Amino acid sequence: MPRPRGFRYARHADGTVEITHRDRPAGTLRGARAERFLAEAESGDAQLVMARWTGAYKHGNERVARDHPRNRSGPG
């Protein structure tokens, strides 16, 4: 699985944290959640942390789901 990239976060004076992915809004955190996010992002891999917090990461089951009969195109 490729490493996540393209995430950025901006910390605002009121304590709000805005997360963007490729310059599009991906999430806004406030209060205690914002503080927990900042602590985690500053102590680890920030790209991976932002991907996990926003839910914008692959779960590893995309190939299996693609091959499932209900997801195949065409009749049958």
Side-chain angles (χ1 to χ4, degrees), residues 27-42:
T28 303
L29 304 170
R30 293 177 181 87
R33 291 193 69 199
E35 291 174 20
R36 283 197 322 263
F37 165 79
L38 289 170
E40 194 173 331
E42 292 169 359

Side-chain angles (χ1 to χ4, degrees), residues 11-76:
R11 191 182 328 190
H12 298 284
D14 63 355
T16 302
V17 175
E18 287 185 39
I19 302 172
T20 58
H21 184 245
R22 296 186 177 141
D23 297 325
R24 292 184 176 184
T28 303
L29 304 170
R30 293 177 181 87
R33 291 193 69 199
E35 291 174 20
R36 283 197 322 263
F37 165 79
L38 289 170
E40 194 173 331
E42 292 169 359
S43 68
D45 180 5
Q47 291 292 306
L48 186 59
V49 170
M50 286 183 276
R52 193 168 43 78
W53 275 73
T54 60
Y57 62 98
K58 294 189 180 263
H59 300 279
N61 62 352
E62 289 82 7
R63 185 173 299 142
V64 175
R66 180 187 63 207
D67 295 334
H68 193 277
R70 76 168 172 252
N71 296 328
R72 291 185 188 156
S73 61

